[in-house]
Amino acid sequence: MTKVSHSPKLSLIQRALAAYYRAGGIQHPDPHMFGHYVIEAKVADGVTTFYAYARLADASGTLAVFRINRWDELKRLKRWPKSIDDGSAMTVGQFNEWHRKTMKDIAETREARTDEADLEALIDELDEAA
């Protein structure tokens, strides 16, 4: 398994390409088929874990997939999630959009709960005053 450490001067795809060729890759990936994907992997104890992947492909299909860890290190996978090949995986852009919407919804829910709590406290104060 090839592990590539973080280099701030190179993009994830450039580092994935370097690792691919260093490991003996001979086919040339198509730059139009590169992809960054985010996949919801598991939910345990109420915590959802997401994994990020970089995919190198050509017209014949996927050539290599690398998992991206939280330190932006790449690890080449021998097997990868089917959703990367079948197109059902979220791209990083789709994930970011989903994440922004989810965070906004959470903030609005918290604000609504705070408003409800303030209203309940006001009702309690009015009941005590009466």
Side-chain angles (χ1 to χ4, degrees):
M1 290 190 204
T2 306
K3 205 172 189 181
V4 181
S5 59
H6 178 67
S7 170
K9 294 182 181 180
L10 298 175
S11 74
L12 291 170
I13 290 295
Q14 288 171 321
R15 291 182 11 238
L17 280 167
Y20 171 72
Y21 287 122
R22 244 191 326 266
I26 55 172
Q27 292 178 284
H28 299 290
D30 181 351
H32 297 98
M33 300 181 84
F34 293 163
H36 292 133
Y37 299 95
V38 178
I39 297 173
E40 181 178 346
K42 59 185 173 182
V43 178
D45 300 325
V47 176
T48 304
T49 303
F50 292 90
Y51 291 103
Y53 297 90
R55 173 182 178 246
L56 303 178
D58 66 5
S60 65
T62 301
L63 300 175
V65 174
F66 296 84
R67 180 177 286 162
I68 306 164
N69 71 15
R70 70 178 93 179
W71 302 282
D72 280 349
E73 293 176 337
L74 301 174
K75 179 180 177 186
R76 186 170 180 173
L77 303 176
K78 292 181 181 178
R79 292 180 307 280
W80 51 85
K82 291 179 183 176
S83 59
I84 290 177
D85 286 329
D86 68 18
S88 65
M90 281 190 284
T91 64
V92 170
Q94 291 168 331
F95 175 79
N96 289 338
E97 182 65 30
W98 170 85
H99 189 261
R100 271 192 294 279
K101 183 183 180 309
T102 302
M103 291 295 107
K104 182 180 176 188
D105 291 347
I106 289 171
E108 289 172 358
T109 302
R110 284 184 182 157
E111 190 174 299
R113 286 184 183 163
T114 302
D115 291 344
E116 288 173 13
D118 291 343
L119 182 59
E120 288 176 16
L122 180 61
I123 291 170
D124 290 341
E125 288 176 21
L126 292 173
D127 285 344
E128 291 173 6

